[in-house]
Amino acid sequence: MDLEQPPLIRRADALANGYTDGELTRARSRGELQQVRRGVYVRPALLEGLDAAAQHRLLIEATMGASTGVVSHVSAAVLHGLPVWNMSLARVHVTVDASAGGRVVRRRHVHAASLAAKDVTVTPDGLAVTSVSRTVVDLTRTVGFERAVVIGDAALHARLTTPEDLLAVLERARRRPGTPAARRVLEFLDGRSESVGESRSRVQMAAHGLPAPQLQRFIYDVDGVFVARVDFDFEEFDTVGEFDGLGKYGRDPASSVIQEKLREDAVRATGPTVVRWIWSELSPFDGVVRRLRYAFGLRRR
Protein backbone atom coordinates (compact mmCIF):
# COMPACT_ATOMS: atom_id res chain seq x y z
CA MET A 1 0.00 0.00 0.00
CA ASP A 2 1.62 3.20 -1.16
CA LEU A 3 0.41 5.87 1.24
CA GLU A 4 2.31 9.14 1.33
CA GLN A 5 1.63 10.52 4.81
CA PRO A 6 4.63 9.48 6.93
CA PRO A 7 5.16 8.82 9.69
CA LEU A 8 1.54 8.59 10.91
CA ILE A 9 -1.26 7.56 8.60
CA ARG A 10 -4.70 8.66 9.75
CA ARG A 11 -7.78 6.86 8.50
CA ALA A 12 -9.52 10.15 7.71
CA ASP A 13 -6.61 11.33 5.57
CA ALA A 14 -6.36 7.97 3.79
CA LEU A 15 -10.07 8.03 2.96
CA ALA A 16 -9.80 11.62 1.75
CA ASN A 17 -7.01 10.49 -0.61
CA GLY A 18 -9.18 7.81 -2.16
CA TYR A 19 -8.23 4.75 -0.14
CA THR A 20 -10.91 2.53 1.38
CA ASP A 21 -11.36 0.89 4.77
CA GLY A 22 -10.95 -2.45 3.01
CA GLU A 23 -7.54 -1.45 1.71
CA LEU A 24 -6.49 -0.30 5.18
CA THR A 25 -7.68 -3.58 6.67
CA ARG A 26 -5.80 -5.62 4.08
CA ALA A 27 -2.66 -3.53 4.59
CA ARG A 28 -2.82 -4.30 8.30
CA SER A 29 -3.37 -8.02 7.70
CA ARG A 30 -0.33 -8.10 5.38
CA GLY A 31 1.80 -6.38 8.01
CA GLU A 32 2.24 -3.23 5.92
CA LEU A 33 0.54 -1.08 8.55
CA GLN A 34 0.40 -1.28 12.33
CA GLN A 35 -2.29 0.41 14.39
CA VAL A 36 -0.94 2.98 16.84
CA ARG A 37 -4.42 3.74 18.12
CA ARG A 38 -7.87 3.54 16.63
CA GLY A 39 -7.83 5.20 13.23
CA VAL A 40 -4.10 5.93 13.21
CA TYR A 41 -1.45 3.68 11.63
CA VAL A 42 2.28 3.53 11.12
CA ARG A 43 4.59 1.41 8.98
CA PRO A 44 6.19 -1.31 11.19
CA ALA A 45 9.62 -0.69 9.62
CA LEU A 46 9.57 2.83 11.03
CA LEU A 47 9.01 1.58 14.58
CA GLU A 48 11.96 -0.81 14.37
CA GLY A 49 14.41 2.07 14.26
CA LEU A 50 12.87 4.00 17.17
CA ASP A 51 13.59 3.71 20.87
CA ALA A 52 10.77 3.60 23.43
CA ALA A 53 10.70 7.37 23.90
CA ALA A 54 10.52 8.03 20.16
CA GLN A 55 7.70 5.50 19.80
CA HIS A 56 5.88 7.25 22.63
CA ARG A 57 6.23 10.54 20.76
CA LEU A 58 4.33 8.95 17.87
CA LEU A 59 1.66 7.76 20.27
CA ILE A 60 1.39 11.30 21.67
CA GLU A 61 1.00 12.74 18.18
CA ALA A 62 -1.60 10.14 17.29
CA THR A 63 -3.53 10.68 20.51
CA MET A 64 -3.50 14.46 20.63
CA GLY A 65 -4.92 14.66 17.14
CA ALA A 66 -8.24 13.54 18.60
CA SER A 67 -7.96 14.60 22.24
CA THR A 68 -8.28 17.72 24.33
CA GLY A 69 -6.06 18.72 27.21
CA VAL A 70 -2.37 19.33 27.69
CA VAL A 71 0.32 16.65 27.40
CA SER A 72 1.60 16.04 30.92
CA HIS A 73 3.42 13.76 33.36
CA VAL A 74 5.66 11.11 31.75
CA SER A 75 4.47 12.06 28.24
CA ALA A 76 5.53 15.66 28.84
CA ALA A 77 8.88 14.41 30.13
CA VAL A 78 9.38 12.58 26.82
CA LEU A 79 8.59 15.73 24.84
CA HIS A 80 11.03 17.74 26.99
CA GLY A 81 13.78 15.16 26.39
CA LEU A 82 14.03 14.10 30.03
CA PRO A 83 15.03 10.53 30.98
CA VAL A 84 12.02 8.36 31.75
CA TRP A 85 13.86 5.55 33.48
CA ASN A 86 11.64 2.68 34.64
CA MET A 87 8.41 4.47 33.69
CA SER A 88 5.57 2.98 31.67
CA LEU A 89 5.03 4.52 28.25
CA ALA A 90 1.93 2.47 27.45
CA ARG A 91 -0.43 5.44 27.79
CA VAL A 92 -0.35 9.10 26.82
CA HIS A 93 -0.86 11.32 29.86
CA VAL A 94 -2.85 14.52 29.45
CA THR A 95 -4.16 17.02 31.97
CA VAL A 96 -7.43 18.89 31.60
CA ASP A 97 -8.05 22.09 33.53
CA ALA A 98 -10.88 20.81 35.69
CA SER A 99 -11.63 19.75 39.26
CA ALA A 100 -12.96 16.35 38.21
CA GLY A 101 -13.14 14.05 35.20
CA GLY A 102 -9.89 12.12 35.37
CA ARG A 103 -10.00 8.69 33.78
CA VAL A 104 -7.80 5.92 32.43
CA VAL A 105 -8.46 4.15 29.15
CA ARG A 106 -6.36 1.79 27.05
CA ARG A 107 -4.04 4.34 25.48
CA ARG A 108 -4.70 7.49 27.52
CA HIS A 109 -4.55 8.65 31.12
CA VAL A 110 -6.50 11.84 31.68
CA HIS A 111 -5.67 13.85 34.81
CA ALA A 112 -8.04 16.54 36.07
CA ALA A 113 -6.23 19.42 37.78
CA SER A 114 -5.92 23.18 37.70
CA LEU A 115 -3.51 24.50 35.07
CA ALA A 116 -2.07 27.97 35.43
CA ALA A 117 -1.09 29.68 32.20
CA LYS A 118 2.56 29.70 33.30
CA ASP A 119 2.41 25.90 33.68
CA VAL A 120 1.75 25.35 29.96
CA THR A 121 4.01 25.77 26.96
CA VAL A 122 3.84 24.78 23.29
CA THR A 123 6.30 22.58 21.41
CA PRO A 124 7.68 23.59 18.00
CA ASP A 125 5.21 21.06 16.55
CA GLY A 126 2.32 22.93 18.13
CA LEU A 127 1.54 20.52 20.98
CA ALA A 128 0.41 22.04 24.27
CA VAL A 129 2.51 20.52 27.05
CA THR A 130 3.09 21.21 30.72
CA SER A 131 6.21 23.25 31.41
CA VAL A 132 9.34 21.46 32.56
CA SER A 133 8.80 22.68 36.13
CA ARG A 134 5.17 21.56 36.20
CA THR A 135 6.12 18.24 34.61
CA VAL A 136 8.79 17.54 37.21
CA VAL A 137 6.49 18.44 40.10
CA ASP A 138 3.64 16.34 38.71
CA LEU A 139 5.99 13.36 38.55
CA THR A 140 7.49 13.94 41.99
CA ARG A 141 3.99 13.54 43.37
CA THR A 142 3.16 10.35 41.51
CA VAL A 143 6.05 8.10 40.40
CA GLY A 144 8.00 7.29 43.55
CA PHE A 145 11.18 8.74 45.00
CA GLU A 146 13.92 7.19 42.86
CA ARG A 147 12.28 7.78 39.48
CA ALA A 148 11.33 11.32 40.50
CA VAL A 149 14.92 12.10 41.52
CA VAL A 150 16.17 10.87 38.14
CA ILE A 151 13.77 13.21 36.33
CA GLY A 152 14.38 16.19 38.62
CA ASP A 153 18.17 15.91 38.62
CA ALA A 154 18.18 15.75 34.82
CA ALA A 155 15.96 18.82 34.48
CA LEU A 156 18.19 20.81 36.82
CA HIS A 157 21.39 19.57 35.18
CA ALA A 158 20.12 20.63 31.74
CA ARG A 159 19.14 24.01 33.23
CA LEU A 160 15.57 23.53 32.07
CA THR A 161 14.32 24.61 35.48
CA THR A 162 15.57 25.87 38.83
CA PRO A 163 14.93 24.84 42.44
CA GLU A 164 13.05 28.10 42.93
CA ASP A 165 10.74 27.43 39.97
CA LEU A 166 10.04 23.90 41.19
CA LEU A 167 9.14 25.15 44.66
CA ALA A 168 6.85 27.80 43.18
CA VAL A 169 4.98 25.16 41.18
CA LEU A 170 4.73 22.91 44.22
CA GLU A 171 3.31 25.78 46.25
CA ARG A 172 0.54 26.27 43.69
CA ALA A 173 -0.25 22.54 43.98
CA ARG A 174 0.11 22.29 47.77
CA ARG A 175 -3.45 20.99 48.24
CA ARG A 176 -3.05 18.16 45.74
CA PRO A 177 -2.27 14.57 46.79
CA GLY A 178 1.41 13.66 46.98
CA THR A 179 2.68 17.06 48.08
CA PRO A 180 4.76 15.72 51.03
CA ALA A 181 6.42 13.18 48.74
CA ALA A 182 7.12 15.90 46.19
CA ARG A 183 8.67 18.17 48.79
CA ARG A 184 10.96 15.35 49.94
CA VAL A 185 12.13 14.83 46.35
CA LEU A 186 12.74 18.54 45.72
CA GLU A 187 14.85 18.79 48.87
CA PHE A 188 17.02 15.91 47.61
CA LEU A 189 17.52 17.02 43.99
CA ASP A 190 20.98 18.03 42.80
CA GLY A 191 21.64 19.24 39.26
CA ARG A 192 25.27 18.18 39.51
CA SER A 193 24.21 14.59 38.90
CA GLU A 194 25.06 13.95 35.28
CA SER A 195 23.26 10.69 34.49
CA VAL A 196 20.48 8.36 35.49
CA GLY A 197 23.07 6.11 37.11
CA GLU A 198 24.54 8.90 39.21
CA SER A 199 21.10 9.98 40.42
CA ARG A 200 20.17 6.41 41.28
CA SER A 201 23.49 6.02 43.09
CA ARG A 202 22.73 9.04 45.28
CA VAL A 203 19.32 7.62 46.14
CA GLN A 204 20.85 4.27 47.07
CA MET A 205 23.56 5.89 49.18
CA ALA A 206 20.96 7.80 51.18
CA ALA A 207 18.75 4.72 51.54
CA HIS A 208 21.68 2.74 52.96
CA GLY A 209 22.67 5.46 55.43
CA LEU A 210 25.93 6.45 53.76
CA PRO A 211 27.19 10.02 54.24
CA ALA A 212 26.26 12.45 51.48
CA PRO A 213 29.22 12.84 49.10
CA GLN A 214 30.41 15.94 47.31
CA LEU A 215 29.49 15.74 43.62
CA GLN A 216 31.73 16.37 40.62
CA ARG A 217 34.74 17.35 42.71
CA PHE A 218 37.97 18.34 40.99
CA ILE A 219 41.07 16.37 42.02
CA TYR A 220 44.54 17.94 41.76
CA ASP A 221 48.01 16.48 42.34
CA VAL A 222 50.59 17.83 44.80
CA ASP A 223 51.73 20.38 42.23
CA GLY A 224 48.20 21.73 41.76
CA VAL A 225 47.81 20.12 38.34
CA PHE A 226 44.28 18.98 37.47
CA VAL A 227 43.92 15.20 37.50
CA ALA A 228 40.22 14.38 37.20
CA ARG A 229 36.67 15.32 38.07
CA VAL A 230 35.12 12.54 40.12
CA ASP A 231 31.46 11.61 40.50
CA PHE A 232 31.37 11.24 44.28
CA ASP A 233 33.91 12.39 46.84
CA PHE A 234 33.73 11.28 50.47
CA GLU A 235 36.37 13.73 51.58
CA GLU A 236 36.12 12.84 55.28
CA PHE A 237 37.10 9.26 54.44
CA ASP A 238 39.54 10.09 51.63
CA THR A 239 37.44 7.92 49.30
CA VAL A 240 36.20 8.54 45.76
CA GLY A 241 33.18 6.84 44.21
CA GLU A 242 32.78 6.45 40.47
CA PHE A 243 29.75 5.20 38.57
CA ASP A 244 30.56 3.32 35.35
CA GLY A 245 33.04 5.68 33.75
CA LEU A 246 33.37 3.65 30.56
CA GLY A 247 30.93 5.80 28.62
CA LYS A 248 32.57 9.11 29.44
CA TYR A 249 35.00 9.26 26.55
CA GLY A 250 32.95 8.61 23.45
CA ARG A 251 35.41 5.97 22.27
CA ASP A 252 35.22 2.25 21.61
CA PRO A 253 34.97 0.04 24.74
CA ALA A 254 38.59 -1.14 24.68
CA SER A 255 39.91 2.41 24.45
CA SER A 256 37.54 3.51 27.22
CA VAL A 257 38.80 0.76 29.54
CA ILE A 258 42.40 1.86 29.02
CA GLN A 259 41.55 5.54 29.43
CA GLU A 260 39.57 4.89 32.58
CA LYS A 261 42.34 2.75 34.08
CA LEU A 262 44.87 5.54 33.54
CA ARG A 263 42.48 8.09 35.01
CA GLU A 264 41.79 5.94 38.06
CA ASP A 265 45.50 5.35 38.64
CA ALA A 266 46.08 9.10 38.50
CA VAL A 267 43.36 9.72 41.10
CA ARG A 268 44.73 7.01 43.40
CA ALA A 269 48.20 8.55 43.11
CA THR A 270 46.84 11.68 44.84
CA GLY A 271 45.81 9.61 47.87
CA PRO A 272 42.12 8.56 47.82
CA THR A 273 40.81 5.03 47.64
CA VAL A 274 38.66 4.62 44.51
CA VAL A 275 35.49 2.52 44.56
CA ARG A 276 33.79 1.88 41.23
CA TRP A 277 30.45 0.34 40.34
CA ILE A 278 28.36 -0.32 37.24
CA TRP A 279 24.67 -0.25 36.30
CA SER A 280 23.94 -3.85 37.30
CA GLU A 281 25.18 -3.12 40.84
CA LEU A 282 22.66 -0.34 41.48
CA SER A 283 19.96 -2.82 42.48
CA PRO A 284 20.73 -4.34 44.87
CA PHE A 285 23.34 -1.82 46.02
CA ASP A 286 24.61 -3.88 48.96
CA GLY A 287 27.89 -4.88 47.31
CA VAL A 288 28.80 -1.26 46.60
CA VAL A 289 27.87 -0.29 50.17
CA ARG A 290 30.20 -2.98 51.54
CA ARG A 291 33.08 -1.77 49.35
CA LEU A 292 32.52 1.85 50.33
CA ARG A 293 32.28 1.08 54.04
CA TYR A 294 35.45 -1.02 53.79
CA ALA A 295 37.24 1.92 52.13
CA PHE A 296 35.96 4.27 54.85
CA GLY A 297 37.33 1.90 57.49
CA LEU A 298 40.74 1.73 55.84
CA ARG A 299 41.04 5.49 55.94
CA ARG A 300 40.10 5.64 59.62
CA ARG A 301 43.00 3.41 60.68
Side-chain angles (χ1 to χ4, degrees), residues 57 75-82 121 123 129-133 135 160:
R57 285 176 179 266
S75 298
V78 168
L79 291 183
H80 289 306
L82 296 172
T121 187
T123 70
V129 58
T130 51
S131 67
V132 171
S133 298
T135 299
L160 298 175

Side-chain angles (χ1 to χ4, degrees), residues 12 20 140 209 284:
T20 66
T140 61

Side-chain angles (χ1 to χ4, degrees), residues 182-227:
R183 195 172 301 280
R184 176 187 169 219
V185 172
L186 297 192
E187 290 173 352
F188 189 80
L189 295 183
D190 195 319
R192 291 174 297 176
S193 285
E194 296 183 335
S195 69
V196 173
E198 289 182 26
S199 294
R200 291 188 62 201
S201 296
R202 290 200 308 113
V203 171
Q204 292 296 332
M205 290 173 193
H208 285 81
L210 293 175
Q214 296 182 48
L215 306 186
Q216 311 305 335
R217 183 165 180 261
F218 291 87
I219 302 293
Y220 299 89
D221 66 16
V222 292
D223 297 318
V225 177
F226 172 76
V227 173

